[in-house]
Amino acid sequence: MSKYSLNNLEKIKSNILRILYDESPRSLSAPEIAELEVRDKEFILKLLKEMEKKNIVKNVTPKFSRKSYWTMTDPAYKKYKELL
């Protein structure tokens, strides 16, 4: 896997946020986001977990589900909406 610069990683993360914002209130799985962003699903999942630590996105996976579903946190959604 190639190395990405910090600037490119931030751009990809902002694209993920845009996708989650556009699909809100529906939550998306990492493979769905990866398909829309044309990236590897493991890479997208790694970025989602980094964003979860920063309280930007949250995992809303129902119990007993094999897939993890993601959505924006309420503060992040409000902030993103203000920026648009």
Side-chain angles (χ1 to χ4, degrees):
M1 184 160 104
S2 63
K3 293 187 178 186
Y4 294 97
S5 70
L6 292 177
N7 189 29
N8 286 341
L9 285 175
E10 290 303 316
K11 287 180 184 178
I12 295 169
K13 287 179 184 179
S14 70
N15 287 346
I16 292 171
L17 285 177
R18 179 194 45 81
I19 290 168
L20 289 174
Y21 179 81
D22 289 343
E23 294 295 325
S24 181
R26 186 172 78 97
S27 56
L28 297 173
S29 66
E32 290 173 316
I33 297 170
E35 184 178 319
L36 293 171
E37 185 57 26
V38 191
R39 301 281 176 188
D40 185 56
K41 65 183 174 187
E42 286 85 16
F43 176 67
I44 294 294
L45 187 59
K46 178 185 153 214
L47 293 179
L48 285 166
K49 288 181 180 180
E50 288 176 12
M51 293 165 62
E52 183 180 32
K53 289 178 185 175
K54 295 180 181 178
N55 201 25
I56 299 171
V57 299
K58 61 183 174 181
N59 188 339
V60 293
T61 304
K63 287 189 174 190
F64 309 114
S65 177
R66 296 180 79 193
K67 277 188 180 177
S68 57
Y69 290 92
W70 301 86
T71 188
M72 292 176 77
T73 60
D74 290 335
Y77 181 85
K78 290 176 184 174
K79 190 70 165 177
Y80 197 89
K81 191 173 182 177
E82 286 177 11
L83 294 174
L84 294 180

